[in-house]
Amino acid sequence: MSITSDEVNFLVYRYLQESGFQHSAFMFGLESHISQSNINGALVPPAALISIIQKGLQYVEAEISINPDGLVYEGRFTEGLSLVDAVMPDVVLAKQQQLNEKILAEKQKKEKLEKSEDSNNTNNAVSANDAITNVTSTTQNESSEPMEVDVNHSDITVSLNKSTVLRGHDSEVFICAWNPVQDLLASGSGDSTARIWNMKEEMANCSPSGALNRQQLVLRHCIKDGNQEVPSNKDVTSLDWNCDGTLLATGSYDGYARLWATNGRLENVLGQHKGPIFALKWNKKGNYILSAGVDKTTIIWDATTGEAKQQFPFHQAPALDVDWQNNTCFASCSTDMSIHVCRLGLDRPVKTFDGHSNEVNAIKWDPSGSLLASCSDDMTLKVWSMNQDSFVHDLRAHSKEIYTIKWSPAGPGSNNPNQNLMLASASFDSTVRLWELEKGACLHTLTKHHEPVYSVAFSPDGRLLASGSFDKCVHIWSTQTGKLVHSYEGTGGIFEVCWNSSGNKVGASASDGTVCVLDLRK
């Protein structure tokens, strides 16, 4: 058996991608020359590195469980073997000695019981064996994680005839977004394609047996190689529909943004970034597109001509996210821990917010454009106002990195002006939190997930919140009570969740290359 450095590097690269560390994955892939390897990533299953490590750990456990005489301990050792323990010879030896003692003790008990002809001794033998079994069972129960019994309860689980699994992508699907006008679902993947799924057709052709006539358009992201166009082999990690649903913008790790019509035709290619694009957003008017890249810049593009209207080189490190405040003003955040508010036509930021102590992962303006929320690897969620330099709220409750945030569609500037504004935060601590903004208090802590939560999305009426986690589950919660009202378990870790404009379908993209659609109509 031989292991090459290219194989190890590729598995580490995929692990970083699947864990949500997109910019870290890019830098690692760049330094290790992943693009120059001949490994076909489409053939490598999700979580491959973890799977191999787990098998190696099981092998070490098996080795420990066999003593020098070839006797095997039938239970499990009292304390589970961690990954770090497995590579420490002293720890492994100590575990093995501990099991050897148990194996010998069991052997002596059995020999003693076999020699006894007294019926009482025989009964005691049964009790002794039961005791050994009970000790083993207790150890296994203590080492297992607690299960949330109501997550799969029949009254909240989305039934199979209400869920549609879309297959076609050859790699993990990082993002998905509904067309704002019709039931078209767009998805972007590591297979260097985006796809447009016609969900009206999908639902109409879904037979009782589960057979589907898949209506999908494949948007291949190609680059020029001489006189030929070849697949870019780069991830499609950002996409956004314009306001009237006629154009889809996609951003790729190949450094290009592309505009597509709903029939799959490529309308324009936007190229000025020097490296991957991490975020892409249309303004409300639909005449400009905003992008953020690893080259530390943000760019406003003219959607009609495809020309860069202005490039903003203000960050000192990769720009991770952008969001429009209005049609000409936007905010951007970066791994440099800063947030800039910029306006088209100005050669310096209108305002800069500093306060985070680690990279800022996401930013979002509230519906009125008066408050800006940000979340960071420093485990804090902050709310800012253009009327002051320091934060309005510094919300500290999560115990790990906060990956993303979303405002509810409520209050001034929204379709639900009489509802109270809320903010949702999703964290690697496996929880989702709902916050009210008047006092900056946490209204609900949503705790049914068991792995990092990568995405949250409010329904159009603001009454429901969808969350997606790497535990393969999509949960849907009542924003008023914090109770779980629907649940679905897929086949891959969930990267993104989104609602259609009618609020009756939820789309979710997964690490195993699938896209699922949940139909929540009664």
Side-chain angles (χ1 to χ4, degrees):
M1 180 180 67
S2 62
I3 300 175
T4 68
S5 59
D6 279 352
E7 291 172 331
V8 174
N9 289 340
F10 183 81
L11 292 180
V12 172
Y13 170 73
R14 283 288 292 271
Y15 169 76
L16 290 172
Q17 279 189 322
E18 293 168 353
S19 299
F21 303 114
Q22 299 298 331
H23 40 286
S24 298
F26 166 73
M27 294 305 296
F28 180 80
L30 193 66
E31 293 181 356
S32 58
H33 304 291
I34 290 295
S35 61
Q36 298 177 17
S37 72
N38 58 1
I39 299 172
N40 186 351
L43 301 179
V44 180
L49 180 62
I50 298 300
S51 177
I52 290 173
I53 291 174
Q54 286 176 335
K55 289 178 181 178
L57 192 58
Q58 290 170 353
Y59 182 82
V60 174
E61 288 185 353
E63 280 189 321
I64 292 175
S65 299
I66 302 174
N67 81 346
D69 297 326
L71 296 174
V72 179
Y73 180 57
E74 296 176 354
R76 290 193 61 175
F77 29 86
T78 306
E79 297 179 2
L81 189 68
S82 73
L83 182 59
V84 176
D85 287 344
V87 297
M88 298 174 66
D90 291 344
V91 175
V92 172
L93 182 60
K95 295 280 187 183
Q96 199 159 29
Q97 290 174 343
Q98 179 185 355
L99 285 189
N100 286 341
E101 293 173 359
K102 289 188 176 183
I103 291 171
L104 291 175
E106 286 181 1
K107 182 181 178 183
Q108 290 172 356
K109 283 183 180 180
K110 288 181 180 179
E111 289 176 349
K112 183 177 180 180
L113 292 172
E114 287 172 357
K115 290 179 181 179
S116 175
E117 297 179 357
D118 189 278
S119 60
N120 290 332
N121 288 342
T122 301
N123 290 335
N124 290 338
V126 174
S127 299
N129 285 329
D130 285 346
I132 293 174
T133 303
N134 289 336
V135 169
T136 303
S137 299
T138 302
T139 302
Q140 290 173 328
N141 289 337
E142 289 176 351
S143 64
S144 63
E145 294 184 1
M147 297 296 292
E148 299 286 355
V149 295
D150 59 347
V151 166
N152 292 317
H153 200 276
S154 59
D155 61 349
I156 61 172
T157 300
V158 177
S159 60
L160 290 177
N161 65 344
K162 291 289 187 179
S163 60
T164 304
V165 178
L166 308 172
R167 293 183 171 88
H169 283 295
D170 297 324
S171 187
E172 54 270 273
V173 186
F174 297 112
I175 194 164
C176 58
W178 288 97
N179 184 294
V181 177
Q182 51 187 323
D183 270 356
L184 300 177
L185 180 64
S187 57
S189 169
D191 63 7
S192 74
T193 74
R195 293 170 194 246
I196 298 177
W197 311 84
N198 188 333
M199 292 315 300
K200 286 185 178 179
E201 294 295 327
E202 287 287 352
M203 293 301 177
N205 295 326
C206 184
S207 69
S209 65
L212 294 172
N213 295 322
R214 294 181 176 84
Q215 301 292 326
Q216 60 172 301
L217 296 173
V218 182
L219 315 181
R220 303 189 186 281
H221 288 57
C222 298
I223 56 175
K224 285 191 175 181
D225 184 9
N227 295 325
Q228 292 183 327
E229 286 200 343
V230 297
S232 68
N233 294 323
K234 300 294 184 181
D235 303 341
V236 179
T237 55
S238 54
L239 48 80
D240 194 32
W241 291 96
N242 66 349
C243 56
D244 60 8
T246 56
L247 290 172
L248 175 71
T250 61
S252 169
Y253 263 34
D254 64 12
Y256 292 94
R258 295 170 174 84
L259 303 184
W260 311 82
T262 54
N263 63 3
R265 183 178 67 250
L266 180 61
E267 298 288 347
N268 220 328
V269 178
L270 319 178
Q272 191 160 312
H273 279 293
K274 294 182 172 65
I277 295 173
F278 288 142
L280 195 71
K281 300 281 176 64
W282 287 89
N283 67 350
K284 289 183 180 179
K285 190 175 180 181
N287 59 331
Y288 293 139
I289 302 161
L290 176 63
S291 60
V294 74
D295 60 5
K296 310 175 188 177
T297 73
T298 54
I299 299 176
I300 291 180
W301 307 85
D302 187 309
T304 303
T305 65
E307 296 178 353
K309 294 289 291 184
Q310 186 173 349
Q311 190 164 16
F312 303 83
F314 304 133
H315 285 293
Q316 304 301 310
L320 299 183
D321 197 18
V322 286
D323 198 37
W324 290 98
Q325 182 187 27
N326 51 47
N327 285 314
T328 57
C329 189
F330 69 93
S332 62
C333 65
S334 166
T335 60
D336 66 7
M337 302 180 286
S338 70
I339 300 166
H340 295 310
V341 180
C342 302
R343 180 174 287 114
L344 181 64
L346 299 183
D347 60 0
R348 65 184 62 185
V350 176
K351 203 171 191 65
T352 295
F353 295 120
D354 292 311
H356 283 293
S357 59
N358 208 327
E359 56 190 62
V360 185
N361 294 318
I363 48 172
K364 294 290 182 295
W365 290 99
D366 77 331
S368 69
S370 59
L371 296 175
L372 178 69
S374 61
C375 64
S376 168
D377 279 359
D378 65 10
M379 302 181 288
T380 72
L381 170 68
K382 301 186 191 299
V383 179
W384 314 83
S385 169
M386 293 295 287
N387 297 325
Q388 62 187 65
D389 294 331
S390 61
F391 45 74
V392 177
H393 294 296
D394 182 17
L395 308 177
R396 298 172 179 266
H398 286 291
S399 59
K400 288 188 178 179
E401 299 93 330
I402 305 174
Y403 190 72
T404 192
I405 46 177
K406 289 286 172 60
W407 292 96
S408 64
S414 75
N415 293 328
N416 310 292
N418 296 324
Q419 290 184 20
N420 292 327
L421 185 64
M422 287 186 289
L423 183 63
S425 56
S427 170
F428 280 12
D429 65 10
S430 305
T431 71
V432 175
R433 289 180 178 266
L434 282 172
W435 308 83
E436 65 87 26
L437 274 302
E438 186 175 344
K439 296 181 180 179
C442 181
L443 296 172
H444 302 293
T445 303
L446 314 179
T447 60
K448 301 297 185 185
H449 286 297
H450 301 289
E451 295 288 342
V453 184
Y454 282 89
S455 181
V456 286
F458 284 93
S459 60
D461 63 8
R463 299 182 183 279
L464 297 174
L465 179 76
S467 61
S469 164
F470 234 59
D471 62 7
K472 305 178 183 179
C473 291
V474 176
H475 292 328
I476 298 171
W477 318 79
S478 164
T479 57
Q480 297 302 311
T481 65
K483 290 184 178 179
L484 187 63
V485 294
H486 298 291
S487 183
Y488 170 83
E489 184 172 2
T491 53
I494 306 298
F495 279 117
E496 184 82 12
V497 291
C498 57
W499 292 83
N500 69 343
S501 59
S502 301
N504 55 29
K505 292 174 190 168
V506 174
S509 58
S511 63
D512 65 347
T514 61
V515 179
C516 68
V517 176
L518 311 181
D519 188 346
L520 303 180
R521 291 173 292 184
K522 300 291 187 182

